[in-house]
Amino acid sequence: MKNIRSFLQKRMADRKYFVRNQVLVIILSFLLLYLFIVIPATFLVAKKKAEEFRSVRDRIAEQITMAVQVYEETEQYTAKKMEMERQIRYREILSLYLNLADGDDQKVSAAIYDETGEFVAKSQTLIGEYPSLLNGAGGYRRCSYPAADYLNEEEIDTLATYMDFIADDIRNKKEPFYLQIFIKTRGEQLDARLAAIQVRTTDDNNIIWGWENKDLPGETEGEWTELAGETTNTAVNLFPYITNDQNIWRDWEQNEFLHNFPSRIETMVRLTEYNEKIQEEQPGGQEETENSSVHRREQFTIPLSDGNPSYYLLVADESHPWLAAMREMTALYLISLLFLLLCGSLVIWFFVNTWKKQAALEEVRLNFTNAAAHELKTPLGIIRAFAENLKENTVEEKRDYYLERIIGQTEEMDSLAAEMIDLSRLDSNRLILKNEEVSFAALIEAQLEKLQFVIREKEIQVYQETKEDFTIKGDAGYLEKAVWNILSNAVSYNVLKGTIWITVASDGCTVVNTGSVLTQEQLEHAFDMFYRGDESRNSGGKLQQKHAGLGLYLTRKILHKHHLQICMENTENGVKVAITK
């Protein structure tokens, strides 16, 4: 028996270890399933985003090309084209159209080169009005100025903060702030300098931030004319991506890849149409991927009419197709994660619940083995003792006494073995109960007939009342055992000349017997396996040796198999047992 107990205990420990491992396997399986779903889906969306980013880059190049062509073909400036004018207008065009990219997952910058491949202008942060007004005849000029040529980094960042406010106000159709720019000009050379910047409130015209150019030449160094401040909020268009967010503009401004354009490009191939483009073949100019970012530079031609030589456009593009895909699929990630968590939780719950049932069954088997070993130990010891006495003592009178005792102990062991077999069958999943009409009134009547000898011996009065028969569909053989155990206990634990009241109704039946009431502990454990309570309650009789502590446990098992409930409680005169649906 000891070896069996050790085996069952080791088996339960192994099962716990197995369950822990299986739960981890289930979790990892669902995690792999989740990754198997989201990674390919993200890859497909990222591929689509990369195509969209290429389309945006091409569109920016197309818009810049068209703007340059319109500028070069404008008759107003055909006779008097100046390199400074061209540079001013080109840098405005290059900065303006960058906002076609969203800024979050794609940032673009561009540079223009002349027909020889020399650098002309590039995208940069500008201060001023767009479009510029160039009027050489009157000496009046309104244009944009590179912020880095006038302001330091801290001043540019402060101005960007107000530009961000102004951009938000424009989107919300509220403009509590406005920007005012002052310039100084001189001569017919159209020399113009940025003189001051002011951010004012719309309501009371108060200055909330200002900057003044302290490096302007004095009045004695030529005739300088300070023009009235131009009020403009369109200057935000010349702060690339500031309309999205100040942090996006700052990332673009500090991105070396987007600003480090070569001073000259090699024009090995001359293209005659814009739609034909070649990838720049310079070190670092090819497409690169780093930290999920795609860096790419492409070269386009800007064909000009009237026999003018072509210009070249170099577009730098930094995009994050994977980040864009993940941002777009956030809802899908959450929904699929919640769904898989739900499914995984249900699978784990089902698995653990099944294991708990098996563990509970193993625990019952372990307890059953321990209790059975204890129960069998006593009669086996008695049999051994009487057998040894028989061997040593051959007196005829003693021999009969020893044999009766041995037979009595074997009968008790036989009864215990029969009950253990019944319990084993009830715990088996292969047990199939019969489905027949069973009358509890008839069962009680039959079991009382079997107990008549003991009832008469103890002079017990039995009162039976059947208000209405209590019938169910079930196995009559097993239900007979359950009724027998209840009635035999009522007789066995009754007092001499006691009473038993039996009531049968349509919803159940009750059995009340006189005798000692039970303690709370006895009531709580009355249906436990091998629990006998207080043996002194047994008033004697031939049923005394039959109770091994399995009767009520077996009874509850049988009734539960038939979807019936059993309970025990004290009454004024004794103990009451009730069976209900």
Side-chain angles (χ1 to χ4, degrees):
M1 290 294 180
K2 185 177 180 181
N3 292 335
I4 295 176
R5 290 198 300 271
S6 300
F7 169 75
L8 290 175
Q9 289 173 345
K10 183 178 182 302
R11 184 176 178 182
M12 289 181 66
D14 292 341
R15 279 184 176 273
K16 290 181 180 179
Y17 179 76
F18 171 77
V19 168
R20 284 197 298 267
N21 288 344
Q22 287 299 109
V23 170
L24 289 176
V25 169
I26 292 172
I27 293 173
L28 290 176
S29 299
F30 274 93
L31 179 60
L32 291 175
L33 177 61
Y34 176 74
L35 295 176
F36 181 77
I37 293 173
V38 300
I39 290 178
T42 306
F43 172 78
L44 294 176
V45 176
K47 185 177 180 181
K48 179 183 176 182
K49 286 293 180 181
E51 294 174 356
E52 292 177 0
F53 292 153
R54 282 193 292 270
S55 176
V56 170
R57 182 178 63 237
D58 292 346
R59 185 182 172 196
I60 290 173
E62 182 180 2
Q63 293 293 324
I64 292 174
T65 297
M66 292 174 60
V68 170
Q69 289 175 334
V70 170
Y71 168 73
E72 293 292 340
E73 294 171 2
T74 302
E75 294 182 2
Q76 184 179 357
Y77 301 106
T78 301
K80 203 189 235 194
K81 287 220 174 17
M82 300 173 61
E83 290 304 318
M84 186 167 61
E85 286 183 13
R86 184 175 283 117
Q87 187 181 40
I88 291 171
R89 182 51 60 86
Y90 284 177
R91 70 192 181 200
E92 291 175 354
I93 293 172
L94 291 171
S95 300
L96 177 67
Y97 291 104
L98 302 185
N99 291 316
L100 293 174
D102 64 7
D104 283 321
D105 302 307
Q106 182 185 30
K107 298 179 182 66
V108 179
S109 192
I112 290 181
Y113 296 81
D114 63 17
E115 69 278 3
T116 65
E118 295 292 333
F119 175 82
V120 176
K122 70 173 183 177
S123 305
Q124 55 188 307
T125 300
L126 303 174
I127 302 171
E129 179 79 3
Y130 178 83
S132 300
L133 286 180
L134 309 175
N135 191 340
Y140 173 78
R141 186 180 195 124
R142 183 177 75 197
C143 63
S144 57
Y145 305 89
D149 292 351
Y150 292 89
L151 281 68
N152 59 38
E153 290 184 4
E154 183 179 354
E155 291 168 337
I156 294 174
D157 199 62
T158 302
L159 179 58
T161 301
Y162 288 105
M163 288 290 194
D164 191 17
F165 290 156
I166 292 172
D168 288 339
D169 294 336
I170 292 174
R171 282 195 298 269
N172 297 325
K173 298 182 180 180
K174 298 178 182 179
E175 299 187 23
F177 307 113
Y178 69 90
L179 188 68
Q180 197 165 26
I181 299 173
F182 298 84
I183 63 172
K184 281 189 176 183
T185 65
R186 69 175 178 180
E188 295 184 358
Q189 299 299 319
L190 302 180
D191 190 2
R193 305 287 178 87
L194 184 62
I197 307 171
Q198 294 177 355
V199 178
R200 294 175 175 266
T201 58
T202 304
D203 294 337
D204 49 17
N205 208 33
N206 287 333
I207 300 174
I208 59 175
W209 182 81
W211 171 86
E212 183 178 357
N213 188 354
K214 298 179 180 179
D215 297 329
L216 280 173
E219 295 293 340
T220 58
E221 300 182 25
E223 296 180 358
W224 286 87
T225 302
E226 183 171 351
L227 301 178
E230 291 291 332
T231 300
T232 176
N233 279 350
T234 61
V236 296
N237 296 323
L238 300 179
F239 263 64
Y241 304 111
I242 198 70
T243 54
N244 298 73
D245 186 78
Q246 182 182 356
N247 292 326
I248 297 177
W249 163 81
R250 186 181 291 112
D251 291 342
W252 175 84
E253 181 72 17
Q254 297 173 355
N255 192 310
E256 294 184 1
F257 172 77
L258 296 177
H259 290 281
N260 291 341
F261 287 96
S263 59
R264 179 181 176 82
I265 61 173
E266 297 295 332
T267 57
M268 300 296 293
V269 180
R270 294 306 182 96
L271 303 177
T272 58
E273 296 294 337
Y274 162 74
N275 288 331
E276 302 177 39
K277 52 183 180 291
I278 61 171
Q279 183 174 314
E280 182 187 8
E281 298 291 344
Q282 297 185 22
Q286 297 179 350
E287 184 172 327
E288 301 174 356
T289 302
E290 180 182 358
N291 297 330
S292 76
S293 301
V294 177
H295 298 83
R296 184 179 178 86
R297 282 179 178 162
E298 286 199 35
Q299 180 176 318
F300 304 85
T301 59
I302 304 177
L304 304 178
S305 60
D306 300 331
N308 292 324
S310 297
Y311 273 36
Y312 296 91
L313 175 66
L314 186 60
V315 178
D317 175 16
E318 180 186 88
S319 59
H320 305 271
W322 278 91
L323 290 178
M326 288 187 286
R327 203 189 317 275
E328 184 172 307
M329 296 181 65
T330 301
L332 177 62
Y333 291 157
L334 292 176
I335 292 173
S336 58
L337 180 60
L338 290 175
F339 178 74
L340 289 178
L341 282 175
L342 177 61
C343 294
S345 300
L346 290 175
V347 171
I348 292 174
W349 175 84
F350 179 79
F351 181 79
V352 172
N353 192 50
T354 302
W355 173 80
K356 284 182 177 179
K357 290 181 179 178
Q358 293 177 344
L361 184 59
E362 291 290 344
E363 185 70 22
V364 170
R365 289 176 180 173
L366 179 60
N367 294 336
F368 183 81
T369 302
N370 290 335
H374 179 75
E375 292 296 325
L376 291 173
K377 184 177 180 181
T378 300
L380 285 173
I382 295 174
I383 291 173
R384 180 184 178 87
F386 283 123
E388 290 175 350
N389 288 335
L390 275 175
K391 185 177 180 181
E392 296 174 359
N393 193 343
T394 58
V395 179
E396 190 68 23
E397 299 89 13
K398 292 289 185 180
R399 179 176 178 276
D400 293 339
Y401 172 77
Y402 293 151
L403 287 175
E404 287 180 4
R405 290 295 181 181
I406 291 173
I407 292 171
Q409 293 299 319
T410 55
E411 288 178 352
E412 185 175 338
M413 291 174 61
D414 184 63
S415 176
L416 177 62
E419 290 182 339
M420 292 168 64
I421 291 172
D422 287 336
L423 284 175
S424 177
R425 288 173 179 170
L426 288 171
D427 288 331
S428 173
N429 294 326
R430 291 173 294 180
L431 175 66
I432 300 177
L433 296 173
K434 294 178 182 178
N435 188 23
E436 53 189 345
E437 191 81 17
V438 179
S439 167
F440 268 79
L443 287 178
I444 291 171
E445 191 69 34
Q447 303 313 308
L448 285 175
E449 185 66 29
K450 295 179 183 178
L451 291 166
Q452 282 301 314
F453 177 80
V454 184
I455 291 172
R456 284 194 297 269
E457 182 183 89
K458 296 182 72 171
E459 300 181 17
I460 297 172
Q461 296 292 325
V462 178
Y463 296 96
Q464 185 176 0
E465 179 184 6
T466 303
K467 298 178 180 179
E468 187 176 344
D469 197 3
F470 177 43
T471 59
I472 65 168
K473 291 286 187 178
D475 193 309
Y478 279 104
L479 289 172
E480 181 180 303
K481 293 178 182 179
V483 173
W484 164 264
N485 289 328
I486 294 172
L487 293 177
S488 64
N489 273 354
V491 172
S492 182
Y493 291 105
N494 211 325
V495 297
L496 290 174
K497 299 183 179 181
T499 305
I500 297 176
W501 293 273
I502 301 172
T503 303
V504 179
S506 60
D507 57 348
C509 59
T510 60
V511 178
V512 181
N513 67 281
T514 53
S516 303
V517 297
L518 301 176
T519 64
Q520 186 62 33
E521 179 185 358
Q522 289 171 335
L523 288 173
E524 291 175 357
H525 298 284
F527 297 99
D528 290 353
M529 184 186 299
F530 295 112
Y531 184 78
R532 299 187 184 186
D534 186 5
E535 289 290 346
S536 63
R537 291 183 65 246
N538 195 316
S539 61
K542 296 190 175 182
L543 288 175
Q544 180 178 0
Q545 63 182 7
K546 300 293 183 180
H547 294 278
L550 285 175
L552 290 180
Y553 178 78
L554 180 62
T555 298
R556 185 175 63 175
K557 278 271 187 182
I558 293 171
L559 294 177
H560 283 182
K561 286 286 185 179
H562 290 82
H563 308 290
L564 298 175
Q565 302 297 321
I566 183 172
C567 64
M568 182 181 293
E569 61 184 21
N570 290 320
T571 64
E572 293 181 1
N573 299 320
V575 180
K576 172 184 175 181
V577 176
I579 299 174
T580 57
K581 289 184 179 180

